[in-house]
Amino acid sequence: MRSVLLAGGGTAGHVSPLLALADCLRRRDPDIAITALGTAAGLEARLVPERGYPMIEVPKVPLPRRPSGDLLRLPGNLRRAVRAAEDAIASTSAQVVVGFGGYVSTPAYLAARRHGIPIVVHEQNARPGIANRLGARFASAVGVTFPDTALPRATVTGMPLRREIATLDRGALREQARAHFGLSDAPTVLVTGGSLGAQRLNEAFAAAAARLSAAGVQVLHVAGTGKDFVPEGVTGAPYVVLPYCDRMDLAYAAADLVVARSGANTVCELTAVGLPAIYVPLPIGNGEQRLNAASVIAAGGGLLVEDSAVTAAWVDDVVRPLALDGQRLGGMASASASVGERGGDELLADLVVAAAGGATTAAGRAR
């Protein structure tokens, strides 16, 4: 395989596995040409070039779920995006197109199908999105993160993860990680709502900060860009607040318990490294965050709590005693690791290589 085109963007949930697969393919073959399709407004516009891969821009094509102006503009927008994807396939001589969902995947799938280029789909969430439901209908291979994802001919690959997460040894890095964040050796809770933060988590933990500290529970709180705060009344164990964390590998190594949203990437990272967690599904969307956490909850590696139940009193009554219960956390950590997959990038790369093996024949049929 000489050239691959990766399509996915808009959110970290799409871009992170795209980059993990790109890195894996590059490790296997340093000479392979890897190009990404993306939009100017998505995270990929910054993250893909920063990782050293070229990105070709395609127009953003929102797929409206209800009647709107976007619905009327959809045919024209889609035609322009498909033409841009076709130009990208031609200019890169792509032998396979790999889509991760999001705005750019639909035109990439349609362009690849038109030109007889094999397609590989990877679905991150337990409940697939519109783009990947379309692409899976004519894909050569479909990789899914969760075994219950309803896509045809799916192979469970798990989530392609960043190398620093997939290879993380939490125990070996714990002392370094806690020193990095200015933490002590006390029981440690990591609170994170992702790069955008989670306002309810922020408010509940800020209100309980003094009591957590007095009980000997230290907190590493990633509050979100522009949402950091100064915890009040902290006189015991440290309470460290960051607006953003670019070393999540060290954050995971420092933690004994995590409180987080249950986005697919978060669930897969936490289970891969064997961290017990309390998952708080996003209260909007199509319910995929609840489904994403189902397998680890069933295994005993995590707890699930509704967003509306997250209050300072809940932190006092549930989070604080759990953080101080080392025996229970140890059992939850083992259960979490039992459903984790560290080799999702390699498993997905196997599907991509196999699909590309038939590229010449498929393209020949299209001509």
Side-chain angles (χ1 to χ4, degrees):
M1 182 171 60
R2 299 181 303 278
S3 178
V4 59
L5 189 63
L6 308 180
T11 68
H14 296 129
V15 181
S16 293
L18 182 154
L19 291 174
L21 175 66
D23 290 347
C24 179
L25 293 171
R26 181 59 55 80
R27 288 195 305 272
R28 291 186 176 198
D29 181 1
D31 295 325
I32 190 173
I34 299 173
T35 307
L37 287 181
T39 68
L43 285 175
E44 65 274 14
R46 175 176 62 87
L47 296 180
V48 169
E50 282 181 358
R51 193 69 69 91
Y53 300 106
M55 191 192 90
I56 298 175
E57 184 180 333
V58 297
K60 182 177 178 179
V61 185
L63 298 177
R65 298 176 183 271
R66 57 183 61 89
S68 67
D70 284 338
L71 183 60
L72 296 176
R73 291 185 289 270
L74 178 60
N77 289 340
L78 187 57
R79 281 194 298 271
R80 286 189 290 273
V82 171
R83 283 198 296 270
E86 289 181 300
D87 290 343
I89 289 172
S91 66
T92 61
S93 300
Q95 295 169 276
V96 61
V97 169
V98 186
F100 294 84
Y103 294 124
V104 300
S105 290
T106 297
Y109 295 147
L110 294 175
R113 187 189 190 198
R114 181 176 294 179
H115 289 270
I117 305 298
I119 296 165
V120 176
V121 170
H122 184 269
E123 175 56 52
Q124 296 84 56
N125 288 298
R127 180 171 288 165
I130 296 174
N132 280 352
R133 292 204 304 268
L134 171 67
R137 293 172 58 186
F138 40 82
S140 300
V142 177
V144 296
T145 300
F146 302 103
D148 294 331
T149 302
L151 288 176
R153 305 179 308 283
T155 298
V156 179
T157 62
M159 179 76 78
L161 299 175
R162 295 170 288 172
R163 199 65 180 162
E164 64 268 26
I165 302 298
T167 60
L168 178 64
D169 183 335
R170 292 199 299 123
L173 283 179
R174 175 159 303 191
E175 184 176 347
Q176 173 191 337
R178 293 188 172 182
H180 176 83
F181 294 112
L183 299 170
S184 70
D185 61 354
T188 306
V189 178
L190 168 64
V191 181
T192 175
S195 59
L196 297 178
Q199 190 62 29
R200 191 176 294 274
L201 291 179
N202 291 349
E203 292 173 353
F205 276 86
R211 294 186 296 278
L212 287 167
S213 175
V217 176
Q218 65 183 350
V219 177
L220 176 61
H221 191 144
V222 184
T225 303
K227 298 177 181 178
D228 50 323
F229 58 91
V230 177
E232 298 180 357
V234 173
T235 57
Y239 195 113
V240 176
V241 181
L242 303 174
Y244 179 77
C245 180
D246 59 2
R247 288 299 305 272
M248 286 305 293
D249 56 327
L250 293 183
Y252 291 158
D256 298 302
L257 172 66
V258 179
V259 181
R261 293 296 191 197
S262 50
N265 204 64
T266 297
V267 173
C268 292
E269 288 189 346
L270 294 179
T271 56
V273 303
L275 263 170
I278 300 175
Y279 294 103
V280 186
L282 197 67
I284 59 175
N286 64 2
E288 72 273 9
Q289 287 210 350
R290 175 181 294 275
L291 295 176
N292 291 342
S295 58
V296 63
I297 299 299
L303 306 176
L304 188 138
V305 62
E306 299 296 342
D307 184 80
S308 59
V310 175
T311 63
W314 172 81
V315 174
D316 292 336
D317 295 341
V318 176
V319 179
R320 187 172 67 196
L322 179 58
L324 294 169
D325 191 342
Q327 183 173 357
R328 186 180 179 193
L329 288 178
M332 290 177 67
S334 297
S336 176
S338 73
V339 299
E341 173 58 68
R342 289 179 178 246
D345 56 345
E346 296 286 354
L347 294 173
L348 182 58
D350 288 342
L351 295 184
V352 174
V353 170
T360 301
T361 300
R365 284 199 301 268
R367 287 194 295 267

